[in-house]
Amino acid sequence: MTPTLLGRWQTRWFLTVIVGLPITLPFALGLLGTGTSWHFIYILGYMALFGIGWDVMYQYLQSFRWDHDWPGILQLLAGIWEGLVLGVIAMTIGLPGLPQPFILSHFILHYSLVWLGIYSASQTLMRVLFPHWRFQGGQLWK
């Protein structure tokens, strides 16, 4: 599948809500020993918000590939890169809604679970539940 920019955005936001939010709620409610804190919801929002910019860059980089495709392994590596950048920004500059001092271990656990959930869903469930998604540039609706 060669995603369009609109398809990337739709998929990112859809998976953030459908997959990322249910994974985030136990963190926000303190069910995982992280203490009740809604800053995990903010982290999820920043993941989606920054993703808009990342997707513009990925679309540009993808244009240099001979088949204009974006293999799954590059998507997985992009998630690692996105997490590193978001973590560094949260720790050094700080972001509204996030605590200072920033607890890196909670961030790593939360981000890793959310990203792996989103990545897994994009590589499996999306292809099964939305077969048209692959043939419409990643767009769920027009």
Side-chain angles (χ1 to χ4, degrees):
M1 173 185 72
T2 304
T4 63
L5 183 58
L6 183 58
R8 285 181 180 279
W9 287 344
Q10 286 179 5
T11 300
R12 183 178 291 264
W13 283 90
F14 178 78
L15 289 175
T16 297
V17 171
I18 300 300
V19 176
L21 191 58
I23 293 172
T24 298
L25 285 177
F27 284 91
L29 298 174
L31 301 177
L32 300 175
T34 55
T36 303
S37 178
W38 292 102
H39 75 267
F40 292 106
I41 301 291
Y42 282 96
I43 291 172
L44 185 67
Y46 286 126
M47 287 173 66
L49 186 64
F50 288 169
I52 291 172
W54 286 116
D55 286 336
V56 171
M57 184 185 74
Y58 297 149
Q59 193 71 22
Y60 174 73
L61 291 175
Q62 183 176 314
S63 70
F64 292 106
R65 293 185 46 84
W66 71 273
D67 60 353
H68 300 281
D69 199 3
W70 197 254
I73 189 68
L74 291 180
Q75 183 183 0
L76 184 61
L77 294 174
I80 295 168
W81 170 253
E82 290 178 26
L84 287 172
V85 171
L86 181 58
V88 167
I89 290 172
M91 286 179 44
T92 57
I93 300 170
L95 292 167
L98 299 185
Q100 290 298 330
F102 189 69
I103 304 171
L104 188 59
S105 60
H106 291 172
F107 171 77
I108 291 171
L109 178 62
H110 173 250
Y111 182 89
S112 298
L113 291 175
V114 168
W115 183 254
L116 286 175
I118 288 174
Y119 173 77
S120 298
S122 73
Q123 297 298 311
T124 57
L125 293 176
M126 290 298 290
R127 297 168 193 254
V128 173
L129 298 177
F130 303 101
H132 68 280
W133 169 78
R134 294 181 66 200
F135 305 107
Q136 294 179 350
Q139 293 185 37
L140 292 165
W141 54 89
K142 291 188 177 203

